[in-house]
Amino acid sequence: RYTKEQNQKTVIYDDALDQIIRTETDIVHRLKSAISEETLEVWYQPIVHVKSGRFTSAEALVRLPDGKGGFFPAGQVIAFAERGGLVEALGDYVLGHACRFMSLYAHQLELEHMGINISVQQLLVENSADHLLEVIRASGVPADRITLEITESVLIQSIEHASSSLDQLRKSGIRIALDDFGVGYSSLNYLSNLPVDVIKIDRSLTRQIYINPKQRALLHSIVEMAKINSLTVVSEGVETKEDQQLISASGVQYIQGFYYARPMPQEKAIRFLAEQNHKNK
Ligand code: C2E
Ligand code: MG
Ligand code: MG
Ligand code: MG
C-alpha cells in the first residue's frame, strides 16, 4: 500500500512537471514567433510626478499574447526567456520599441523619461553598453530620456561584472534605476556606492503603509538617504487613496501604480497622456 501511494505521488508529480515544461516550451515558442513577426507588444504605464501632478514618465512592459485573447505574466515570460536564450532578443525588441515611442511622441505628450527593464544577462554580454547605446541611438531619442531599470537583488549579485557597463551607460547620459528596491537584502548603506540614479521602491514596502508605522519610518529613511545621495525616488505599486496620500507627502518624487494608471497598449497610452497632461496644465 505504501509503495502504491508513493507511486501515485510520483505520477502526480510527473504530471505537474510535465505541465510546467509544456507551458515553458509553449511560451518560448510563442515568444520566438512574436519577436520575429513583431506581434510581441510593449505596453506603457504612466508615472506621475508628485509636485506637478503630471504624468512626465512611464515604464515600458512587455506583453506576450497567449493566443486566447490575454497575455502571459511578464515575470514568467522573462524567466523563460532567460533560460531559453531569448532574453537579448526580447530586450532589444522592447528597448527599440520604447525608444522609438519616445522619439516619436515624447515631445507631444510631454514625457520626460521612459523606464525600460533590462535583464542582468543583457549587461553581462561582451560590449553590452555599446550595443544598448547603439539601439538607443538608432531610435533617435536623446540618451538622457532613457532610464534602464535593473532589479536590485540581481544587480547586487552581479555588480562586479556589470559595473563597467553601467558606468559607460551613465557617462552617455542614460539613467540607471534600481528596481524593486526593498525586496530581499536591501541595505541603505550601499545607496551611496552603487552606480545608479533612481531607486524604485517595491510595492511590498509601501503597500498599506497607512496602517503600518514601521513601514512609514522605513520609507522616510529611504527618502532621506536618497536625498543625501542625489537619487530620484519612485514609489511602485500604489493602489489606494490612503497609500497615495501618505506616499505623496513622504518626499518621493514620482509615484507609479494602479491608483493613477495601469499599464496600457501604446495607442491607449498616447490618448491617456495627451488627455491627462492637457487637463493638468
Ligand atoms: P517591474 O519592473 O517592477 O514592473 C512593475 C510591475 O508592477 C508590472 O508588472 C506592473 O504591471 C505592476 N504594477 C504597477 N502598478 C501596480 C499596482 O499598483 N499594483 C500591483 N499589484 N502591480 C502593479 P508586470 O508588467 O507583470 O511585470 C512584472 C515584471 O516583469 C516587471 O516588474 C519586470 O521585472 C519584468 N518585466 C516586464 N517587462 C520586462 C521587459 O521588457 N524586460 C525585462 N527584462 N523585464 C521585464
Ligand atoms: Mg521595472
Ligand atoms: Mg519594479
Ligand atoms: Mg516591483
Side-chain angles (χ1 to χ4, degrees), residues 125-181:
V125 293
E126 221 177 315
N127 301 323
S128 60
D130 288 335
H131 177 72
L132 294 169
L133 287 167
E134 188 44 45
V135 176
I136 294 165
R137 278 193 200 114
S139 75
V141 72
D144 62 6
R145 300 270 157 158
I146 299 303
T147 306
L148 297 179
E149 303 188 0
I150 307 164
T151 304
E152 182 205 16
S153 54
V154 175
L155 181 66
I156 304 306
Q157 281 164 28
S158 321
I159 190 66
E160 244 180 80
H161 302 287
S163 67
S164 71
S165 301
L166 293 177
D167 289 342
Q168 190 188 337
L169 290 164
R170 293 178 76 217
K171 275 193 196 121
S172 311
I174 309 276
R175 301 192 312 166
I176 303 295
L178 202 54
D179 207 345
D180 303 333
F181 184 82

Side-chain angles (χ1 to χ4, degrees), residues 59-61 115-118 148-151 177-180 200 236 256:
E59 178 173 7
L61 296 157
I116 298 146
N117 296 287
I118 60 167
L148 297 179
E149 303 188 0
I150 307 164
T151 304
L178 202 54
D179 207 345
D180 303 333
K200 297 193 74 173
E236 289 188 321
Q256 174 176 6

Side-chain angles (χ1 to χ4, degrees), residues 159 163 167 170 188-196 229 231:
I159 190 66
S163 67
D167 289 342
R170 293 178 76 217
L188 288 179
N189 271 334
Y190 59 51
L191 283 185
S192 45
N193 304 317
L194 285 177
V196 301
N229 293 295
L231 297 168

Side-chain angles (χ1 to χ4, degrees), residues 26-258:
D26 182 40
I27 288 184
V28 167
H29 176 77
R30 281 176 191 276
L31 180 58
K32 251 186 220 162
S33 322
I35 292 173
S36 64
E37 289 158 17
E38 295 238 11
T39 53
L40 185 64
E41 296 185 28
V42 181
W43 285 30
Y44 298 95
Q45 184 177 25
I47 298 174
V48 82
H49 177 240
V50 175
K51 238 185 210 159
S52 64
R54 299 164 66 79
F55 292 90
T56 58
S57 182
E59 178 173 7
L61 296 157
V62 74
R63 291 293 180 265
L64 175 65
D66 63 7
K68 295 182 244 165
F71 298 93
F72 293 108
Q76 196 174 31
V77 172
I78 299 303
F80 293 161
E82 285 178 343
R83 283 218 291 262
L86 286 172
V87 80
E88 285 172 70
L90 179 151
D92 284 355
Y93 186 101
V94 174
L95 183 62
H97 278 71
C99 287
R100 278 194 293 283
F101 176 86
M102 281 301 274
S103 175
L104 289 170
Y105 299 107
H107 181 71
Q108 145 193 357
L109 300 175
E110 298 176 39
L111 264 184
E112 291 167 10
H113 300 288
M114 175 64 73
I116 298 146
N117 296 287
I118 60 167
S119 290
V120 76
Q121 283 182 28
Q122 288 176 265
L123 276 183
L124 296 181
V125 293
E126 221 177 315
N127 301 323
S128 60
D130 288 335
H131 177 72
L132 294 169
L133 287 167
E134 188 44 45
V135 176
I136 294 165
R137 278 193 200 114
S139 75
V141 72
D144 62 6
R145 300 270 157 158
I146 299 303
T147 306
L148 297 179
E149 303 188 0
I150 307 164
T151 304
E152 182 205 16
S153 54
V154 175
L155 181 66
I156 304 306
Q157 281 164 28
S158 321
I159 190 66
E160 244 180 80
H161 302 287
S163 67
S164 71
S165 301
L166 293 177
D167 289 342
Q168 190 188 337
L169 290 164
R170 293 178 76 217
K171 275 193 196 121
S172 311
I174 309 276
R175 301 192 312 166
I176 303 295
L178 202 54
D179 207 345
D180 303 333
F181 184 82
V183 178
Y185 301 96
S186 301
S187 156
L188 288 179
N189 271 334
Y190 59 51
L191 283 185
S192 45
N193 304 317
L194 285 177
V196 301
D197 309 279
V198 179
I199 59 173
K200 297 193 74 173
I201 303 179
D202 194 71
R203 171 160 195 265
S204 58
L205 232 142
T206 50
R207 228 183 113 236
Q208 299 203 317
I209 196 156
Y210 65 99
I211 38 182
N212 191 334
K214 278 189 196 166
Q215 264 175 275
R216 276 204 298 277
L218 185 53
L219 176 65
H220 285 284
S221 318
I222 294 173
V223 169
E224 280 311 304
M225 203 61 185
K227 251 188 219 153
I228 293 168
N229 293 295
S230 309
L231 297 168
T232 298
V233 185
V234 183
S235 185
E236 289 188 321
V238 176
E239 291 184 352
T240 65
K241 178 92 196 145
E242 290 85 350
D243 285 340
Q244 179 265 337
Q245 282 173 335
L246 274 173
I247 290 166
S248 297
S250 71
V252 311
Q253 291 101 322
Y254 294 88
I255 300 181
Q256 174 176 6
F258 295 171

